[in-house]
Every structure is written in C-alpha cells, then in structure tokens.
Amino acid sequence: MDTGHHSYRLFSRSDFSAFWALFTDNLVNLIVLSGICRFVFGMPGEIVFGRIVPGAAVAIIAGVAVYVWLAKRTAERTGRDVTALPYGISTPVMFVYLFGVIGPIYWATEDPVLAWQVGIGAGFIGGIVAAAGALVGPWLKRVTPRAGMLGTLCGIALVFIGTVPLATVFEDPYVGFASMIIILWGLVGRFRLPGNVPAGLLALVAGTAVALALGKAEIDTSNVGLYLPMPYLGDLVAGISHLFANPELFLVLVPVQIYNFIETMNNVESAEAVGDSYPVGLCQVTDGVGTMIGAVFGSPFPTTAYIGHPAYKRMGAHSGYVIGVGTVIPLAAFTGGLALLNGFIPTAAAAPVLVFVALSLITNTAQSVKPAHIAAVTIAMMPHISSFLVTKWNAMMSALAAGGAEGLPALGDPQLTANLLMQGAHYQGHLLLSQGAILTGLIWGAIVADVIDGRFRAAAGFAFAAAVMSAFGVIHAASLQWPTPTPVALGYLMAAAFLAFYPVLHRDETRGRADAPAAGLQPGE
C-alpha cells in the first residue's frame, strides 16, 4: 500500500510510557559504563562526564534523527502507523570494549587517558566495520531463517538483559521489588495504573523513594556543570596510532563489530516480525556512522538499534519516545545531570525495565515463528548460556585473585579443566560455545530451521560457513588466526557434507518432508 498521504503523528499518548522504558535502558548503560571507567580504570570525572558521556549523547542524537526519519518515511510508504527503532549504546559490545580494549591498555600502562584514547580509536574503526556490514546485511537477512536471527537475540535477552538485572533486583530486594511489581503490573500485565501514570516512571520513583528512605541513594552535585561536546581529533589520532602499534587489539575489535552489525540485522528482523519493515543496510550504516561520530566526540562505545522494538510496538509507541530520549539524555549529559542521576537512582530500581524488555522479546519471538521452529529458536539461545557461564567463571577467578588468593591456576589450565569436568562443569565445551556466541547461535538456529523445512542444501551452506569462520577464529576461538583445521572446523565440514549429500541419497524422503515444512517435532522423531 503506497498512499503517500498518510498523516503520521510522531507523538502518541503511548510514547510517554515507552519513553520511560527506553530512557531507563539507556540510563542503566550510562551509569554502568561511567562507574566502571571511574572506579575500575581510574578515569577522572572530567573524562567520564566531560568527554565520554557527552560523546555518547551526540551519537544518540545522530542515530535518533535517522531512525525517526525512517519511521516517518515507512509510515508514509505503507499508509499505517509504525514504531521507530529504539537506539542507544550496545550493551554486550559495551562490556567487550570496556574489558577487551580499554581495560587491557589501562592495566598495562596505568594511564587512564591513554586507555580512553585507544577506546575512541577502537570505536571509530569499529564503526567502519559495523557500517561495512551493509554490504552483506541485506543478503544475510534474505537467506537466514527468522528463527536463527531472533533465537540468538532471545539468548542475549534471556541471560544478559533478563537474568542479570533480575539478580540485581534480588540483591537489593526492598528497592528492586518495589520497582519490579509495578513493571509487572503496568507493562507485562498491561493494567492501567492510577491516574494513567507511566509504569516505567512510577517504578523508578518508587524504587528511588525506597532507596532514599533506606539511605541507599545520595544526591552528589560534585560533577554537575556545563559539558559541551567537542571533537577530540588529536586524541582520536593518538588512539588509532596506538592500535596499529598493537595490532593484537584488532583481534578483539573486528569480531565484536561483526557481532554488532549482525545484532542490528537481527533487531531489524524483530521489528519486521511485528509489522514494521526497515531497510537493514541503511540501519547498519546508521549504527556504524553513529559510532564513528560518537568516537570523534569522545565516546568509545558502539551504538546500535536496540533489542526491544516489539515491546515498544506493543505499548503503541510511534516516534515520540525515541525523540524524547534523544532530547533528555543529551540535555542531562551536557549539564552533568547524568552524573547526578548516577548516584541518585539505584540500579535495582531501573533493572526491572530490562527484565520487561527481555520478556517481551522472547514472547514475541515465540509468536512470530511457526511452531516447528521453536526448536531452532531454543538451540540458538544455548551458546549465550555458555557465554554467561564463562563470563562469570572469569569474574569469579578475578575476584579470588583480588581477595588475596595465591597460586590459583588460570582458567584453561589442563588440570583445572579436568577437575572441573569431573565435577560436571564442562569448561572447554562452554568456552568454545561462548566464543562468537551470537554467530554460533544464529548458525545453529538457521541449520535446525532449514533441516525442519527440508532445506538441506541451505543448512549445508550454513554449516560450511561455520567451518570457514571456525578455521579463521571468528567463532570457537580466542582470536583471529590463519586458517587452521581445528576439530570444530572439521566437525562442521562433516556436517556440511552430510547435509549436502543426504538429498541425493534420499530424494523421495526429502521431497515429502519439504512438502510439509510446518510439521512439528513429534515424540520419538
């Protein structure tokens, strides 16, 4: 339907509720990265609140402008209302940049300024890689089953966006439960709150009020001030120069940015699953360019179209909610307001909003794929559980070392790995699954979906692609490498060969199976 005359309202009443959910999502990321940069990497407030946070705000402004324009154009093209894609700092990639790029530089040099410079250099180059995803993104979207793309997002949502915030709620139950029950009531249950107050706003207010009453929140105005965004070209060049002098950092940078542009592709697919179709290539370019702009203005952290569009679509949002975030976050960043909120709003009060986003994404995925493909969605989620386990095992070992424990073997030590296996902890297998988890989940989800539909050659293509990526170290390896015939790579080749030749040997059976692609798994199959 192409009317060209549809009057699309940028703002709707529902945007107010959606604003508080997306604002909280962005706020949590900014609070977390600010705390880690200040208290773990020793960066002064002048860098964190004077450069990084304003730079991230500039990147958010740039991306929001494009996504609002895309929503308006799509509404006019289709003749119906649409929900703009949510946008902000990529949560999983943020942690990789913190502990895979910025952290190693700081720990090696104890120079927080150099660590920040390398961070923005990595962000700028990473933005180029993310934008380059537009060259292959549309094709990947065409050939990859929806169950694979959405299933791997569900894995991220389950463990990192849902489980971790839920644990935060239970760590501070007075604050967390006060906020959580309101989110469940107003956003999950969709019951009207008194006075039509947005559930996200009421949850933040309730949680913060409890924290203030218990003395767990404070008002700190020491970092409030005017922080106008400025380009830091000299620092950017210094950071890029250091990167090229230490090329091993690219082994972290390139795979994670491949993850980032695939995350964008998957998020665009989740929007299409609920009726809002956006051009994936343009979205990938937007995310890459937004990241580059943020780096020029001082933010190392990549931006992306967020997970969670189905949740905002369900709330009835148009574009006003992202316009609101693109206005309030920069104002707070440029005036030091985010520094004030950093100490004022406890994490446990904001965490339930992320739990809601995770619940919405997983629920919508179950409704948007055919029943037979739930098996594909499920297997696509599993590598992210391994990623979660390995991340927490590493954190545990670091905590033991920081607590003064001596003589600890490193994770991966053969004897420790053997002892863990005897206790039922399959460290080696989880490690392999965790490396490149989003790609691994997508690939296995696609293989299973194609096998269910009888599309064996398509499944073989994904298995062969996994073999090549595994040989180069893109997945199932700690870093990129020259092509190596690893056991996992050879295993993928065996699977690809079987899938490719099976239709030749069983033509009648595969033809019949393909005629009924929607058939579900039956007991004993």
Side-chain angles (χ1 to χ4, degrees):
M1 180 177 181
D2 186 4
T3 65
H5 301 292
H6 178 68
S7 179
Y8 175 62
R9 293 182 296 116
L10 293 177
F11 296 88
S12 73
R13 184 180 181 85
S14 299
D15 278 303
F16 192 46
S17 295
F19 162 78
W20 287 105
L22 182 60
F23 171 74
T24 304
D25 202 347
N26 275 276
L27 180 64
V28 169
N29 277 339
L30 290 169
I31 288 174
V32 169
L33 72 86
S34 298
I36 292 174
C37 286
R38 290 180 67 200
F39 302 118
V40 178
F41 303 143
M43 293 184 185
E46 188 275 329
I47 288 181
V48 176
F49 298 116
R51 302 182 187 185
I52 293 177
V53 172
V58 172
I60 288 172
I61 291 172
V64 164
V66 175
Y67 284 127
V68 169
W69 170 76
L70 271 178
K72 189 173 186 299
R73 190 186 73 166
T74 302
E76 291 172 348
R77 176 175 55 84
T78 60
R80 56 182 179 76
D81 291 332
V82 299
T83 298
L85 286 167
Y87 182 75
I89 294 171
S90 171
T91 305
V93 178
M94 176 185 77
F95 283 106
V96 174
Y97 268 64
L98 281 168
F99 295 106
V101 178
I102 296 173
I105 297 298
Y106 173 73
W107 291 318
T109 65
E110 295 188 359
D111 184 346
V113 175
L114 178 61
W116 166 70
Q117 289 174 333
V118 173
I120 61 174
F124 188 84
I125 294 176
I128 296 174
V129 176
L135 299 175
V136 296
W139 174 78
L140 279 174
K141 188 173 180 295
R142 285 196 304 271
V143 302
T144 306
R146 173 173 290 179
M149 289 190 285
L150 298 187
T152 197
L153 280 185
C154 286
I156 298 171
L158 175 66
V159 295
F160 291 107
I161 299 176
T163 301
V164 172
L166 187 59
T168 303
V169 168
F170 276 79
E171 287 173 344
D172 194 354
Y174 292 125
V175 174
F177 277 47
S179 177
M180 185 75 177
I181 194 62
I182 295 171
I183 292 297
L184 293 177
W185 183 17
L187 294 183
V188 179
R190 304 179 73 181
F191 292 101
R192 290 178 59 186
L193 298 174
N196 286 326
V197 177
L201 171 60
L202 185 58
L204 280 179
V205 171
T208 303
V210 172
L212 284 170
L214 297 175
K216 294 184 176 182
E218 61 180 4
I219 299 176
D220 180 4
T221 60
S222 60
N223 287 298
V224 174
L226 188 61
Y227 300 109
L228 296 179
M230 295 177 57
Y232 296 97
L233 296 178
D235 293 293
L236 178 63
V237 171
I240 293 174
S241 299
H242 192 88
L243 276 172
F244 279 98
N246 298 271
E248 67 274 7
L249 291 173
F250 284 100
L251 303 182
V252 175
L253 177 64
V254 173
V256 78
Q257 283 297 349
I258 292 174
Y259 158 88
N260 206 31
F261 79 66
I262 288 184
E263 181 186 29
T264 298
M265 179 184 77
N266 293 344
N267 291 337
V268 171
E269 179 67 19
S270 74
E272 186 172 318
V274 292
D276 292 349
S277 180
Y278 292 107
V280 64
L282 181 55
C283 292
Q284 289 169 320
V285 170
T286 298
D287 292 352
V289 173
T291 298
M292 294 165 66
I293 291 172
V296 169
F297 284 88
S299 172
F301 302 106
T303 51
T304 186
Y306 262 11
I307 290 175
H309 174 278
Y312 303 115
K313 180 75 171 179
R314 181 186 177 192
M315 294 168 72
H318 286 194
S319 294
Y321 80 111
V322 293
I323 295 174
V325 170
T327 302
V328 174
I329 288 287
L331 284 176
F334 302 157
T335 60
L338 282 173
L340 181 67
L341 294 174
N342 201 358
F344 186 58
I345 299 178
T347 304
V353 173
L354 300 181
V355 176
F356 160 69
V357 170
L359 291 175
S360 295
L361 179 66
I362 295 170
T363 302
N364 179 75
T365 296
Q367 296 170 347
S368 63
V369 301
K370 55 189 178 183
H373 281 185
I374 293 297
V377 171
T378 304
I379 198 170
M381 296 169 68
M382 292 178 181
H384 297 284
I385 298 174
S386 295
S387 178
F388 180 76
L389 287 172
V390 171
T391 299
K392 296 307 175 184
W393 284 338
N394 276 296
M396 180 186 67
M397 298 299 287
S398 297
L400 288 172
E406 298 180 355
L408 290 173
L411 279 175
D413 175 81
Q415 186 59 51
L416 177 60
T417 299
N419 291 339
L420 286 170
L421 184 59
M422 291 179 64
Q423 299 297 321
H426 298 263
Y427 173 76
Q428 186 62 31
H430 285 303
L431 177 65
L432 289 170
L433 276 170
S434 72
Q435 293 162 335
I438 189 168
L439 287 171
T440 302
L442 184 150
I443 288 165
W444 279 99
I447 289 173
V448 171
D450 282 334
V451 167
I452 289 170
D453 288 350
R455 300 176 67 243
F456 293 102
R457 287 194 173 89
F462 280 103
F464 180 76
V468 173
M469 286 189 283
S470 182
F472 278 94
V474 176
I475 56 176
H476 309 310
S479 62
L480 297 176
Q481 61 195 20
W482 290 110
T484 305
T486 64
V488 175
L490 294 176
Y492 277 121
L493 279 178
M494 291 171 56
F498 172 81
L499 291 166
F501 287 106
Y502 180 81
V504 176
L505 302 175
H506 297 272
R507 291 183 183 276
D508 293 338
E509 181 180 345
T510 57
R511 187 181 300 115
R513 183 68 172 139
D515 288 340
L521 292 175
Q522 301 297 323
E525 278 194 320

